[in-house]
Amino acid sequence: MDAHAFRGAEAIGGAGGLFARARAQPTYLDALLSAGLLIESGVPGLYGRSAVFEAIGDGLNAAITRLGADQEAEVLRFPPAMGLADFETSEYLKSFPQLAGTVHSFCGDERAHRRLLARLEDRQDWTDQQAPTGVVLTPAACYPIYPVIARRGPLPMTGKVVDVLSYCYRHEPSLEPTRMQLFRQREYVCLGPPARILAFRQVWMERGLQLATALQLPMELDVANDPFFGRGGKIVADSQREQKLKFELLIPVNDGEPPTACMSFNYHMDHFGALWRIGLADGGTAHTGCVGFGIERLVLALLRHHGLDPARWPQPVRETLGGL
Ligand code: AMP
Ligand code: ZN
């Protein structure tokens, strides 16, 4: 589907609307909002989803579960938040301070409440009247599992696979529909000796390509890096690339932009194993790796390439998604 497919879709929000842009041609985001697949919230990157959008996401999740049926994975689900102590242990703030989101709440007395209301009334900033709650929004679906597995004691030398799904928060507001602030990651996470993780990652790169092929999506697999913060971060990112620790499956989605990472295949070496002291039966430190499927990005890729009405998608694609 090319960019012209969306000509004629209405610009969203009118001249004064939040997403109004001085652009003759409606964007892919405009088309998604117009069709009601995504629902505007007033904040870029924060959207409601329609029943159709959710059904596609559910179909993807079921397809991923089928792909992972032989993994003997332990299914773990967490709310999209983690405790401050575990978040600190993860060292996320060292690498990605710009992306983290923390939960704050009003903790004052009645006098403080009156002050809060007065601020609101005067249209002044009231958020400094809140205090940290000790709850941090989950930045990646696999983060909450490491402390849980660590507490159970050493892992067998055969390792272990965990299946997770979570909404994740990243502070990266954008008008690209593929870059959301709250989105879902479905992951399989492998913990064990290094060779086990590398074999796991190889298998999942093949399965990722297989899934994208079955969904009739154009794709390429490439080496990638995470957006490490600052000047020091550039060195870390370069080294991550050089060691081929991260691969991404890229699919063209946005108008005139480079293709979008819709799956990632990560080898963390002993980074998380060492931080959380995840041990192996032989006394060594566990290595870890994960495959992450971006549910929203895959839904958006499908809508982009097969059209906004899944009833009209190619039959094999619908079957891969469980019939839709
Ligand atoms: P990462 O942990 O950055 O490798 O992300 C894993 C997967 O989550 C990516 O391959 C994307 O499909 C998805 N993802 C990452 N960031 C975003 C975002 N801001 N909005 C939507 N999906 C995202
Ligand atoms: Zn992960």
Side-chain angles (χ1 to χ4, degrees), residues 140 142 146 187 266 268 290:
C142 60
Y146 302 114
E187 289 195 35
N266 307 293
H268 315 126
C290 63

Side-chain angles (χ1 to χ4, degrees), residues 61-206:
N61 257 313
I64 295 163
T65 301
R66 282 193 295 278
L67 271 181
D70 64 347
Q71 298 285 288
E72 295 176 24
E74 178 180 351
V75 176
L76 289 174
R77 296 289 182 263
F78 292 88
M82 50 195 294
L84 195 67
D86 284 339
F87 181 73
E88 286 170 358
T89 304
S90 79
E91 295 192 346
Y92 194 79
L93 289 174
K94 241 189 206 172
S95 302
F96 313 109
Q98 77 281 20
L99 299 178
T102 48
V103 178
H104 289 62
S105 192
F106 173 73
C107 306
D109 56 13
E110 290 191 44
R111 233 179 84 207
H113 185 214
R114 283 194 291 278
R115 198 159 55 230
L116 174 80
L117 293 180
R119 293 269 180 97
L120 257 179
E121 185 91 347
D122 298 343
R123 293 180 175 274
Q124 285 179 356
D125 179 34
W126 54 271
T127 53
D128 62 349
Q129 301 297 306
Q130 292 196 310
T133 57
V135 174
V136 181
L137 296 173
T138 302
C142 60
Y143 271 53
I145 73 150
Y146 302 114
V148 171
I149 303 294
R151 276 197 294 274
R152 291 183 186 169
L155 287 166
M157 296 310 289
T158 45
K160 172 175 186 63
V161 178
V162 179
D163 163 338
V164 284
L165 167 67
S166 179
Y167 261 99
C168 301
Y169 177 82
R170 291 184 190 173
H171 185 237
E172 41 184 4
S174 166
L175 289 177
E176 275 178 13
T178 47
R179 192 168 295 283
M180 297 186 173
Q181 297 203 57
L182 275 155
F183 57 93
R184 279 161 291 188
Q185 282 182 356
R186 171 74 186 276
E187 289 195 35
Y188 284 97
V189 191
C190 188
L191 309 94
R196 168 86 162 97
I197 314 304
L198 285 168
F200 164 90
R201 189 173 68 154
Q202 189 56 39
V203 162
W204 277 101
M205 284 201 273
E206 283 154 25

Side-chain angles (χ1 to χ4, degrees), residues 3-7 23-27 30:
H4 300 286
F6 299 114
R7 184 174 288 158
R23 213 197 288 261
Q25 185 107 342
T27 62
D30 294 330

Side-chain angles (χ1 to χ4, degrees), residues 139-140 170 172 177-185 187 226-227 246 248-249 261-266 292-298:
R170 291 184 190 173
E172 41 184 4
T178 47
R179 192 168 295 283
M180 297 186 173
Q181 297 203 57
L182 275 155
F183 57 93
R184 279 161 291 188
Q185 282 182 356
E187 289 195 35
D226 289 308
K246 186 178 191 81
E248 287 176 336
L249 188 138
C262 294
M263 305 177 196
S264 69
F265 310 88
N266 307 293
F293 296 86
I295 297 299
E296 279 74 10
R297 285 189 179 177
L298 285 166

